[in-house]
């Protein structure tokens, strides 16, 4: 594409991604050292007018994945990338060294290719790797009892403490919290850095943070933390430019994507990834076999360990934070898929199945699994063990092929842990509602509570064009049951490549699923935002209702379709009932009842009703038992 | 509005609603008599090209709510309304009589008002009522052991039998069905008319079918049948014409709405309703208190039993099939809502709360409940007992106000049953996932298994603009747990009046929820459509994939955004992976493995792997236990 020829000079940030959200400002919470600055979005609210004067509604702090893009004080230039906020922490640990050259042969070739000059990201920084014999994973530190700055950052970030408080009466409303049903998850009232360390040490949570991606704001994936979501981006042979992919990333994190996976399979995969990572404040995951396959011109059986290994290192030194690797596709599992309605639908899974069949042996992803772990220890890359045999239809859910692979992934989890490599497990796919919990429980059991990371699952196959919804249902449920991260599905699933609108719809749908799961688990910090929004709604603070929601822009535009005037946004009614009668207005009157009035109601009404009820019950029950 | 002045001459059906869906034809299954003609949509499919020739893919029959609008043989003129297909059945029972005049005073006044002439529906038919002393409800017949034509119609409709069969191999794929988890629901392999009768007799299911709405194609609401959905339409003081409302109805049923509620609160409510009912092949529900309130100029305390009674009869003689009535809002429950975050959010509930407080006594909906039942027996109107105290926020879910009212609704259910009046119970609202089952179980217990009919529930409050999704999650779950009908929520919920696009989005979302619930319950006929669609998807039969989905138009347009050419719709790849590599293509190769090859794989691979696994497990486990 012509535009990418001059990318190095012309690339600009997507302007839609750099505005703060309405009535929101970026605030930072400082940790034990000044360079631990944890970002939040602080949403300010209007006061409530009451008979006894104005009631103050406190700012609501929400978890913020959007990075510096929504901070007007930050200077954003995607040609320069983000500030390396973790650089100092990594440096201080003194267990890494800077490399003169890229280790990967492919990476070196690309970096020296003059034809790529114009579209290459202009990175001045040298790649970094563990010193010989050192292991630089957060799991390694955690097991030694070390609390890293990353862990402290996460503890502050996950707490979402109520730094802004309203009056006692307001706090009583905002602090309501259902106790939840946790299915064995145990989220403490206050997340401490030590708790973060423990969860990582036990393998129950991971912190994806490659030492070559110092731009990341640390985040954690584990079922005793907020449920996270991932958004997929990436070009394909059929289109999309580097600038568009960066824009999809900044757009995705604006709406709440906790991690981004770059699934590019088109041209300039290496350069595209560099641009994304340098500009991403969230961890970036990849499926390295996709790029490896491009290197062998799409012929799966020509893949080798050497090519794959070079790809891992190439990506490791760019800063990829987690790798999806389909090591669980064993030769003997492949024929189990023949009986399926939809065979193998995972791209990675089918690549490896093809390889195994062609060579009639186990894949290098399995036989070299310990070598892969070794690489991960040198850069702190988390493994996301791919479910190459996930079901592609509800008919195939929870079948022998799927669960056999899951058992192997459980074995590999233990191997990764042996190397102090952080690991999570990928899950399906298509699963009807009643089989979701079985799948979740099986994962916890097979993989000794390593975090689960699922695609949906889609709860029915019959709605192409709406698979964000078919899967949002399953995602909310599996999040409740204990899944740690939900990979989004867009409306284009099964049909085409998502555009920016689809990315947003997918992200918002998955934020809903993740938040519904947090509520159901009884996450101590989750319900405050619902309560604040509902209070605003009940009090006809329209702007606050919009701004506290996941997507203020859409809420406002929907409202304005019916009532476009500004005055309607301070009106004490809405378009459903109109100005003459309003249900919310009437229930305000109920609140205004004084104690005496309530006592009178209870005395009189109760008296009358007991008689009436008895009478009804007597006649009604009689008939009922006859039926 | 000027256009409505000439409605009687100019009204036209919405052209978007009268096309058959692609590759679909209307088929009718005939019952024991020629006038029992049960409609289905029959979706034809392409053949599958295999090495051994063409494989025939049978037509897939799906439940069809769209009425004659999608039948090219039907002559549609919304000025004339639909054919009264049940007229003969009603006539034959000889328990009803034609009335010379409308019974309702208001109805008479409107019918004689010359200024309404131009927008009045030109109904030639006289209103019908039970003969003195007769009870004409389906429940009354059922309890006497009578199987009505309506019941037989429903039995045929619910079965979705496999009238079109493929080859044995194809049927083996299509007939796969997970066994489901039913939570006490018991759906037989074959639905018989006698089963329908029994379920109605037990009060576990209702057939809303007013004798003055002979245009309805009978349908049933009960947890041992397919989960149903309702779409709300209706004008408000702020806008919308009669023609638009009829178009919303025809549009809603095109996409699968099983019933329609007309919630009009604006002008010409009476005439709007007449147009809707005369053109609706699905049952129409209303909330009569809305119209009654308009009659007293929006002043709730001026409502009287007499006005309400006249409104019920007015609507009964137009053919409303079910009434939402908030009889459970007792005076003593009203103060229970004062402590809530969001008080009373149901419009009907707040009207009655206001009335109770103003008069300091129980409402006429409660004190005259038996009179209401009497009216219902004369027209066969089902009662939908409204949940006036439903929670308007997750904070208020399953609280004392809500459950107290539910207990009263349970008592009223027994009273309705005493009169042989069909009854269902309305439910919330806003409920976090972990409290949904408690709510469902409480309803089954309080209301002796009368059908539950819920709005959502919304599983979080924080996504205005996306409440079809926040509630679609809850709807799917409560449908699985036993809810019989799901009232849709559109993207405009809390924000504005839904337009046609919103209606469609709401309907499709709720079809997804209902179908996901049917799958999870293990409904014997549910999974065939998923299997057919997944088979089409796996075999790259793009057109079939679109057409078997809930919304072929959107699926096709999403596909065409990336690959617009017609040739791409027969291509054996898709835009995700591109032409060079395709996961589905590869898994086809796995299918082509012969027995010998599989045996060799199992022998060799198994041998090798046992050793490898042992080794991994040994080293891995050791580390794990140290951690």
């Amino acid at each position: 594409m012509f535009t990418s020829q001059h990318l190095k000079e012309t690339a600009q940030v997507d302007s839609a991604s750099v505005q703060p959200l309405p009535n929101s400002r970026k605030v930072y919470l400082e940790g034990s050292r000044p360079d631990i600055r944890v970002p939040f979005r602080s949403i300010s609210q209007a006061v409530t007018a009451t008979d006894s004067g104005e009631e103050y509604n406190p700012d609501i702090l929400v978890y913020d994945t959007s990075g510096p893009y929504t901070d007007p004080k930050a200077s954003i230039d995607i040609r320069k990338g983000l500030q390396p906020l973790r650089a100092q922490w990594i440096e201080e640990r003194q267990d890494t060294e800077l490399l003169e050259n890229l280790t990967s042969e492919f990476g070196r070739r690309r970096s020296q290719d003059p034809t790529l000059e114009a579209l290459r990201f202009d990175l001045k920084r040298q790649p970094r790797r563990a010193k010989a014999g050192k292991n630089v994973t957060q799991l390694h530190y955690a097991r030694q009892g070390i609390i890293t700055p990353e862990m402290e950052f996460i503890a502050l970030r996950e707490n979402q403490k109520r730094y802004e408080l309203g009056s006692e009466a307001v706090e009583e409303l905002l602090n309501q919290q259902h106790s939840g049903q946790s299915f064995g998850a145990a989220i403490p009232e206050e997340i401490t850095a030590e708790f973060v360390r423990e969860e990582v040490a036990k393998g129950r949570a991971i912190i994806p943070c490659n030492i070559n991606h110092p731009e990341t704001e640390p985040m954690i994936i584990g079922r005793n933390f907020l449920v996270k979501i991932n958004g997929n981006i990436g070009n394909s042979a059929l289109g999309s430019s580097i600038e568009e992919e960066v824009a999809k990333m900044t757009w995705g994190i604006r709406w709440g994507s906790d991690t981004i996976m770059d699934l590019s399979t088109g041209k300039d995969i290496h350069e595209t990834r560099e641009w994304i990572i340098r500009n991403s404040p969230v961890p970036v995951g990849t499926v390295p076999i996709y790029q490896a396959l491009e290197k062998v011109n799409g012929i799966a059986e020509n893949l080798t360990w050497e090519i794959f290994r070079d790809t891992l290192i190439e990506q490791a030194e760019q800063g990829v934070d987690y790798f999806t690797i389909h090591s669980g596709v064993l030769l003997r599992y492949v024929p189990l898929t023949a009986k399926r309605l939809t065979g193998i639908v995972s791209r990675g899974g089918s690549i490896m199945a093809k390889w195994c069949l062609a060579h009639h042996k186990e894949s290098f992803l399995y036989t070299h699994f310990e070598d892969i772990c070794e690489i991960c220890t040198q850069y702190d890359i988390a493994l996301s063990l791919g479910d190459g045999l996930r079901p592609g239809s509800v008919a195939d859910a929870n079948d022998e092929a799927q669960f056999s692979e899951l058992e192997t992934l459980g074995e590999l989890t233990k191997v990764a842990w042996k190397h102090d490599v952080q690991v999570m497990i990928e899950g399906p796919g298509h699963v009807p509602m009643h089989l979701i919990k079985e799948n979740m429980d099986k994962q916890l059991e097979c993989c000794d509570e390593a975090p689960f990371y699922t695609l949906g699952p889609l709860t029915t196959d019959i709605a192409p064009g709406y698979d964000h919804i078919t899967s949002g249902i399953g995602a909310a449920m599996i999040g409740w049951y204990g899944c740690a991260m939900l990979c989004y599905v867009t409306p284009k699933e099964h049909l085409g490549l998502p555009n920016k609108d689809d990315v947003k719809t997918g992200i918002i749908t998955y934020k809903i699923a993740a938040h519904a799961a947090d509520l159901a688990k009884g996450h101590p910090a989750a319900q405050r935002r619902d309560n604040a929004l509902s209070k605003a709604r009940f009090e006809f603070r329209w702007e606050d209702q919009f701004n506290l929601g996941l997507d203020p822009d859409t809420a406002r535009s929907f409202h304005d379709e019916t009532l476009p005037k500004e005055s309607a946004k301070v009106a004490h009614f809405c378009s459903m009932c109109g100005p003459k009668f309003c249900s919310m207005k009437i229930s305000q009157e109920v609140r205004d009842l004084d104690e005496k009035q309530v006592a009178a109601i209870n005395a009189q009404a109760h008296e009358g009703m007991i008689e009436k009820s008895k009478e009804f019950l007597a006649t009604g029950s009689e008939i009922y038992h006859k039926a």
Side-chain angles (χ1 to χ4, degrees), chain A residues 353-386:
Chain A
K354 174 119 188 169
W355 194 96
C356 291
L357 289 177
H359 295 273
H360 213 268
K361 62 180 182 184
E362 296 308 340
S363 81
F364 49 85
L365 300 185
Y366 185 72
T367 57
H368 283 276
F369 189 71
E370 303 223 31
D371 298 319
I372 295 169
C373 290
E374 274 301 319
I375 294 170
C376 293
T377 63
Q378 295 177 320
Y379 303 95
D380 196 7
I381 295 163
L383 285 176
S384 187
L385 298 179

Side-chain angles (χ1 to χ4, degrees), chain A residues 65 69 82 86 206-219 221 229-234 245-246 248-250 253 257-264 269-288 291 312 314-324 379-384 424 426 453 485:
Chain A
T65 59
Y69 297 99
L82 300 177
R86 292 169 54 234
I206 65 168
I207 303 173
C209 57
N210 186 325
I211 55 171
N212 286 306
H213 189 196
E215 300 92 343
T216 43
E217 297 171 340
M219 56 78 70
I221 300 166
I229 69 164
N230 171 67
N232 292 331
I233 60 172
E245 293 306 321
V246 173
K248 277 188 201 166
M249 181 274 290
T250 56
I253 61 173
S257 200
D258 292 288
T259 77
I260 289 287
M261 288 194 81
D262 173 13
L263 305 184
S264 291
I269 296 181
H270 179 88
E271 288 69 29
T272 302
R273 186 189 309 119
E274 187 76 37
W275 279 89
I276 291 171
I277 295 174
R278 296 289 71 82
N279 285 291
S280 175
V282 305
V284 174
T286 61
V287 187
Q291 189 188 6
L312 291 183
E314 170 202 344
Q315 299 195 6
E317 293 184 1
Q318 286 187 303
V320 171
D321 300 287
Y322 61 92
F323 287 152
T324 291
Y379 303 95
D380 196 7
I381 295 163
L383 285 176
S384 187
M424 61 181 168
E426 295 185 13
Y453 167 32
M485 186 155 78

